[in-house]
Amino acid sequence: MSSHALGDHGHAAHAHDLHDHAAHGHQMSFIGKYIFSRDHKIIGLQFLFSTLLWFIVGGLLALGIRWQLAYPWSKLPILGDMLFSGEAGQMSPEFYTALFTMHATVMIFLVIIPILAGAFGNFLIPLMIGADDMAFPTLNMLSYWFMWPAFVCFGMTFLTAGHGAGSGWTSYPPLSVIESAAPASGMAQTWWLLGVTFVGVSSMLGSVNYMTTIIQMRAPGMTMFRMPMTIWGMFITAILQAFALPVLTAAGFMQLLDRVWDTGFFVAEGATANNAAAMSGGGQPLLWQHLFWFYSHPAVYIMILPAMGMVSDMIACFARKPLFGYKPMVYSISGIAGLGFIVWGHHMFVSGMNPVLGVTFMLATMMIALPSAIKVFNWLGTIWGGKIHFTTPMLFAVAFVSMFIIGGLSGIYMAATPVDIFIHDTYFIVAHFHYVLFSGTAMAVMGAIYFWFPKMFGRMMHDGWGKVHFLLTFIFLNGTFYPMHLLGMVGFPRRLADPYHYETFAHLLPMNQFMTWCAIGMVATQIIFAINFFYSMFYGPKAGRNPWHANGLEWCAPSPPGHGNFDFQPIVYRGPYEYGSPETDEDYYPQWHPPKQGESSGGEEPKPH
Amino acid sequence: MGKAKYWSIVYLMVPIFGVGLFVAAPALRMWLPADVSEHGHTIDHLFVFIMYLTGAVFVATECALVWYLWKYDSKSNPAPTKFTHGSHSLEVVWTILPAATLLFIAIYQINAWADQKLVRRAPVESVGPDGVRGTADDVPKAPIAEVTGRQFEWRIRYPGPDGVLHTRDDLLDVNDLHIPVDEELVLVIKSEDVLHSFFLPNFRVKQDVVPGMKQKVWFKAVKGSEGRSYDLVCAELCGWGHYKMKGRVTVDTQSDYRAWLEKLSFEQHKTSEPPPATAEEQ
Ligand code: HEM
Ligand SMILES: [Cu+2]
Ligand SMILES: [Cu+2]
């Protein structure tokens, strides 16, 4: 393998860049430094703050959904009088469809995807591989600034009449195409499509950059198999983005054309709704579903592989033990990525797709549960025989494992096609993806914020309040999402503004009220986090370079790292998980420490080479 | 008991409440709804089978997690880190075991799926002289009704006395589907505008209806379900009124069913004698 040559190349590029930065570093204005910055760390933080703000929006939208499910057609607290003064403050069913559409849209496209790749990918990739910046800093800046048109477009969907797009985050035609089928959506649906397109451009720019940076700019000695799992997660994610996204972008344009110029890619011959004039059609509604899920199934892995990587790093660090089965871990995320391209049809088992085709998708889907299982076993293996430190990031990382087990296992029910006949489009699915995405990814992200906060801002977050934040979040999230499995077993359908007039579901109201109060508690708990975050940014104790005694290269840079990241050229001597190695007296053995027997590795002030 | 081990206890709550809630579920009336179809038990059986299997894996992995967290807590565990990078044989074991299990589930369920969805397994009837099904003179069974989804109602069309859909003697109805008990029956489902999904929770039937496509669903209401009606739910988002796109399916005895059709026929075509009052109207 040519990793050595690559490492050398990275070295040369690095030295050259250092020179460049020294020449231009001084003329930087505030705007150049913090607004239109080309520094990966600033861009990462821009992504972080933007996505956390959208996280609040998405959370409040969720509370709107939960309110309606707990107290259908009652007065919406706080906003009701403002939005629905004519209806005594009670939300309209159109508004309900807009709520769940925009909740999912915001959470997926403006929170989870950009916080993983945009915030953590940007901040961590160069630091963890020992590069001074991304390969293409300008592209990187653009990848952030292309999020703004998306913010504006999605913002516009709220402002247009009817309060938002209402075809679900999946935007299935004909509902999303035929105007008269959803009059309230109006322009909002068009804005929605434009928003998704801009998010796609942003992701694509990021993904090209991440792939190039990881392949080309690794520090000397950083072979592919010495990369931390976080980097592997980001790398595979970038590849997934690059191959899957064009399909969504193209499909999005087709749907846009269908809406604006009646091209009819996705509507059948003579399509109509609400007694409107028939369209010429000639297309197929199922075509959209294929194209959409061809992107969006890989996208669910885009939403978890980086989180799995970060969790692996945190668990190894706080178990003070090497990651169990590093290579199997790498192979399993690669396996997930590969299989991830041939399972999209499991979202369409009962869509009208050829049922024989459904069988092949079922087989592939069953198999994709395998690498997920392997990863869980290896995390357990990592914890086994370690010396576990229950810091806040560790609590969140372990929660990820515990919750991902639930989300992975519920996937098997839905992969079993006959069972899916019953549970498709019920709350069982809602339970499944909240366990993988919220209880999984969002917990990993929380842990990662506590873990890398000292590197981002040079100060520690408060551990005690972090634990309070963890405990309450963990309890409330299970209170909110776990009962959804049971609702799904009854057949409780998703996306219904009021399911209780069905005889089958009438008795489920009290459980829904319980879940709503847990959700309110969960959102309220995040206030603790917000205060801790901002207080620690300014007043937290100074962190030093390596507060967790971790092994990764990012911990040899100053906290926060200056422009160009490292004040010496890091050279990598070993893998990232040498915790508890008998070769040193310390219980860690950083990647940048030269292998001298008996050398004291204080870690705070690495020696230049 | 060592200090600070309470964090392991937090994670122990996951398997305890996780299993506990499922144990309590039937008492909370949160279980698979009553099944009145003939094929439904295969789906239910598969669900419960997967539930026990995944339940065992869930309990085992969560307990292992808690046990390791408990045992290897740095505050109370004096032993040094077990310095290992993994184990090839363990990886092989925990790859092959789940792979075999998953493959088994996959193969185990294919037939149930095919029976429900493959059109060539739809019910047939014999038109030939032998009157025996399974011979060359079989034809697909004629649908007893066509159900059309439309924002936001289910329009139902019975073929009428001639047994042929879309002829002048068709009988029309909205949101109120009647079916005969104990008879394998076929329905044609389609959509007039956007996507909907034809979901009968108590019959374990779900199929999206797609504009431009005509699909068949087939099932059989078991003996004992007659005289009751069941929910027909739209399970695919179809617009603002999606939540209220509700229908009812009433299972009739053969004679009630015929009476029902005659009543419709009388109302719509004034062709037949006024039907005798049915139980519902008394
Ligand atoms: C163990 C592996 C997994 C299996 C076997 C699996 C299987 C499935 C299946 C069959 C569905 C479709 C269910 C239906 O609509 O009827 C589904 C939906 C979904 N899965 Fe998974 N899944 C797995 C892991 C994941 C992961 C890791 C994520 C995300 C990080 C994820 C996110 C989702 C989402 C978001 C949906 C629903 C999308 C929607 O309809 O809105 N899944 N999964
Ligand atoms: Cu999927
Ligand atoms: Cu509907």
Side-chain angles (χ1 to χ4, degrees):
Chain A
M1 124 139 240
S2 62
S3 52
H4 239 83
L6 286 176
D8 284 350
H9 182 88
H11 187 32
H14 179 89
H16 173 73
D17 277 11
L18 269 184
H19 172 76
D20 256 16
H21 286 307
H24 302 297
H26 298 295
Q27 297 113 312
M28 249 183 223
S29 64
F30 177 82
I31 292 195
K33 198 163 167 191
Y34 292 110
I35 311 286
F36 292 105
S37 173
R38 307 191 315 152
D39 183 322
H40 73 98
K41 299 182 290 299
I42 302 290
I43 298 172
L45 294 182
Q46 288 172 328
F47 266 110
L48 184 66
F49 285 112
S50 312
T51 47
L52 287 179
L53 281 177
W54 279 104
F55 208 173
I56 300 174
V57 176
L60 294 178
L61 291 169
L63 289 190
I65 302 173
R66 287 300 337 162
W67 185 263
Q68 170 70 7
L69 286 177
Y71 305 102
W73 317 123
S74 71
K75 182 171 178 286
L76 184 67
I78 307 166
L79 284 178
D81 285 331
M82 210 172 81
L83 292 173
F84 307 108
S85 47
E87 299 91 32
Q90 114 188 9
M91 79 167 67
S92 62
E94 292 92 327
F95 186 71
Y96 183 80
T97 60
L99 276 179
F100 65 71
T101 300
M102 293 315 291
H103 162 69
T105 304
V106 166
M107 287 304 196
I108 290 169
F109 293 113
L110 301 186
V111 181
I112 296 288
I113 294 179
I115 208 172
L116 289 174
F120 284 100
N122 253 308
F123 190 85
L124 293 177
I125 289 173
L127 281 168
M128 291 182 105
I129 64 171
D132 60 331
D133 206 321
M134 287 284 180
F136 309 116
T138 308
L139 274 194
N140 207 20
M141 177 185 80
L142 286 177
S143 92
Y144 176 69
W145 285 105
F146 264 103
M147 287 304 282
W148 275 90
F151 295 162
V152 171
C153 291
F154 286 132
M156 288 305 289
T157 65
F158 290 108
L159 297 182
T160 40
H163 308 299
S167 321
W169 81 281
T170 47
S171 195
Y172 280 4
L175 182 62
S176 54
V177 167
I178 302 179
E179 293 247 15
S180 50
S185 292
M187 267 304 283
Q189 193 64 35
T190 308
W191 284 115
W192 186 91
L193 285 163
L194 289 171
V196 171
T197 308
F198 282 115
V199 171
V201 174
S202 160
S203 293
M204 187 52 99
L205 294 176
S207 120
V208 170
N209 219 343
Y210 301 163
M211 287 192 286
T212 315
T213 307
I214 293 172
I215 292 172
Q216 290 291 329
M217 307 216 0
R218 280 169 287 128
M222 179 64 89
T223 60
M224 289 302 268
F225 282 118
R226 280 182 183 168
M227 298 196 312
M229 287 308 296
T230 301
I231 300 300
W232 271 109
M234 298 288 176
F235 184 54
I236 302 285
T237 298
I239 297 174
L240 282 177
Q241 290 271 34
F243 285 94
L245 239 173
V247 175
L248 180 74
T249 311
F253 273 118
M254 290 162 81
Q255 192 175 111
L256 203 60
L257 293 175
D258 270 10
R259 276 187 74 76
V260 183
W261 286 331
D262 288 350
T263 41
F265 293 115
F266 301 128
V267 291
E269 186 63 40
T272 175
N274 249 324
N275 305 318
M279 297 167 67
S280 37
Q284 234 294 356
L286 288 187
L287 175 60
W288 165 265
Q289 297 186 26
H290 282 291
L291 298 176
F292 179 85
W293 289 114
F294 184 85
Y295 166 75
S296 291
H297 183 82
V300 308
Y301 293 108
I302 289 166
M303 294 182 247
I304 204 165
L305 295 185
M308 289 175 160
M310 298 192 296
V311 162
S312 305
D313 284 5
M314 288 186 270
I315 287 186
C317 176
F318 294 114
R320 312 308 290 168
K321 185 163 170 283
L323 185 68
F324 202 87
Y326 173 86
K327 281 200 181 172
M329 285 295 227
V330 173
Y331 296 143
S332 49
I333 57 174
S334 314
I336 289 176
L339 283 172
F341 275 107
I342 54 165
V343 299
W344 79 86
H346 66 211
H347 298 274
M348 302 171 59
F349 285 146
V350 300
S351 66
M353 176 181 76
N354 180 349
V356 181
L357 194 52
V359 173
T360 62
F361 282 123
M362 176 275 288
L363 283 168
T365 304
M366 284 291 176
M367 285 303 112
I368 210 170
L370 178 61
S372 310
I374 295 174
K375 293 194 75 75
V376 169
F377 294 138
N378 280 299
W379 285 317
L380 291 177
T382 308
I383 292 171
W384 167 81
K387 289 180 86 69
I388 295 150
H389 294 257
F390 287 97
T391 59
T392 307
M394 181 63 164
L395 293 175
F396 278 106
V398 173
F400 172 95
V401 177
S402 170
M403 300 286 96
F404 179 72
I405 292 174
I406 299 180
L409 290 175
S410 62
I412 297 174
Y413 292 73
M414 306 176 312
T417 41
V419 176
D420 192 59
I421 294 175
F422 182 70
I423 59 179
H424 172 71
D425 263 332
T426 69
Y427 261 73
F428 203 91
I429 276 75
V430 183
H432 164 70
F433 63 73
H434 282 93
Y435 265 91
V436 279
L437 287 178
F438 189 87
S439 320
T441 301
M443 291 302 97
V445 163
M446 288 293 175
I449 290 177
Y450 284 95
F451 189 62
W452 279 290
F453 189 91
K455 193 49 65 185
M456 292 172 172
F457 302 106
R459 293 172 186 275
M460 307 292 290
M461 282 179 81
H462 192 282
D463 196 55
W465 283 110
K467 285 175 169 152
V468 174
H469 170 220
F470 164 75
L471 188 62
L472 291 176
T473 306
F474 191 66
I475 293 170
F476 283 134
L477 81 85
N478 281 298
T480 309
F481 298 124
Y482 198 81
M484 290 182 179
H485 292 107
L486 298 190
L487 299 187
M489 273 179 88
V490 187
F492 196 69
R494 63 194 282 208
R495 294 172 167 176
L496 260 60
D498 174 10
Y500 306 109
H501 62 102
Y502 285 105
E503 182 191 32
T504 319
F505 313 124
H507 64 293
L508 300 175
L509 186 65
M511 184 54 109
N512 274 286
Q513 290 170 340
F514 169 77
M515 292 155 64
T516 293
W517 284 104
C518 288
I520 293 172
M522 186 161 71
V523 172
T525 302
Q526 306 316 309
I527 296 172
I528 302 175
F529 170 71
I531 295 175
N532 193 349
F533 188 96
F534 286 108
Y535 182 87
S536 309
M537 241 172 99
F538 299 105
Y539 307 111
K542 284 247 159 60
R545 287 185 189 231
N546 192 358
W548 308 115
H549 294 195
N551 284 340
L553 278 190
E554 75 272 30
W555 302 107
C556 75
S559 299
H563 199 53
N565 292 344
F566 298 96
D567 43 8
F568 66 101
Q569 169 62 56
I571 295 174
V572 177
Y573 297 98
R574 62 190 64 78
Y577 299 116
E578 300 304 291
Y579 294 100
S581 161
E583 283 178 46
T584 56
D585 303 332
E586 263 75 29
D587 65 348
Y588 66 124
Y589 203 4
Q591 290 192 278
W592 66 90
H593 274 211
K596 268 186 230 142
Q597 279 289 332
E599 187 221 37
S600 146
S601 33
E604 291 305 299
E605 284 307 320
K607 300 159 196 74
H609 300 282
Chain B
M1 181 177 139
K3 319 139 244 173
K5 286 198 165 181
Y6 48 82
W7 284 116
S8 330
I9 315 261
V10 172
Y11 299 104
L12 183 61
M13 295 299 116
V14 174
I16 290 181
F17 280 105
V19 173
L21 199 57
F22 269 75
V23 172
L28 298 167
R29 289 202 295 141
M30 294 194 193
W31 204 253
L32 300 163
D35 164 36
V36 293
S37 72
E38 198 189 45
H39 72 274
H41 71 273
T42 52
I43 289 179
D44 293 6
H45 161 75
L46 198 60
F47 186 99
V48 173
F49 171 72
I50 295 176
M51 188 177 72
Y52 279 115
L53 204 83
T54 54
V57 176
F58 169 66
V59 172
T61 47
E62 298 282 358
C63 288
L65 180 70
V66 172
W67 173 239
Y68 295 160
L69 290 174
W70 173 276
K71 185 155 177 226
Y72 300 108
D73 189 333
S74 62
K75 293 242 172 62
S76 53
N77 168 30
T81 293
K82 291 188 170 49
F83 187 71
T84 163
H85 290 85
S87 149
H88 186 72
S89 41
L90 269 180
E91 300 288 349
V92 172
V93 171
W94 66 43
T95 303
I96 291 185
L97 277 184
T101 316
L102 288 166
L103 210 58
F104 173 75
I105 304 177
I107 293 167
Y108 185 61
Q109 39 116 3
I110 288 183
N111 231 355
W113 170 253
D115 283 344
Q116 272 325 287
K117 296 292 179 190
L118 282 199
V119 181
R120 63 169 178 272
R121 299 215 186 171
V124 290
E125 58 197 343
S126 174
V127 287
D130 59 358
V132 180
R133 290 195 302 176
T135 49
D137 54 6
D138 284 353
V139 293
K141 212 166 175 183
I144 67 152
E146 179 186 81
V147 181
T148 306
R150 180 193 150 92
Q151 286 180 326
F152 300 100
E153 64 194 18
W154 298 99
R155 297 204 168 171
I156 294 151
R157 175 185 289 266
Y158 299 94
D162 68 353
V164 181
L165 279 162
H166 299 284
T167 50
R168 285 186 58 194
D169 65 347
D170 282 359
L171 303 169
L172 305 178
D173 197 1
V174 177
N175 288 339
D176 191 9
L177 175 66
H178 281 242
I179 57 170
V181 70
D182 199 27
E183 181 184 320
E184 261 189 343
L185 55 92
V186 178
L187 296 172
V188 170
I189 56 173
K190 63 191 193 49
S191 165
E192 211 169 281
D193 41 33
V194 298
L195 299 176
H196 305 274
S197 191
F198 182 80
F199 178 27
L200 305 177
N202 301 95
F203 297 90
R204 307 296 188 262
V205 167
K206 186 182 286 137
Q207 183 61 51
D208 288 6
V209 292
V210 185
M213 286 173 77
K214 263 190 187 181
Q215 301 179 76
K216 283 182 181 174
V217 294
W218 51 93
F219 57 97
K220 178 174 176 177
V222 291
K223 281 203 196 92
S225 61
E226 65 270 30
R228 276 214 55 199
S229 56
Y230 303 89
D231 279 326
L232 158 54
V233 183
C234 177
E236 181 65 63
L237 177 63
C238 57
W240 68 268
H242 171 49
Y243 72 98
K244 59 175 191 176
M245 190 164 158
K246 167 168 129 176
R248 295 288 281 176
V249 181
T250 307
V251 184
D252 287 333
T253 60
Q254 288 290 347
S255 60
D256 279 352
Y257 180 63
R258 252 172 280 124
W260 159 258
L261 290 178
E262 263 163 36
K263 175 172 157 275
L264 283 185
S265 173
F266 176 72
E267 285 167 6
Q268 291 170 20
H269 304 299
K270 306 280 189 282
T271 49
S272 49
E273 293 297 301
T278 59
E280 264 171 64
E281 286 157 323
Q282 281 160 1

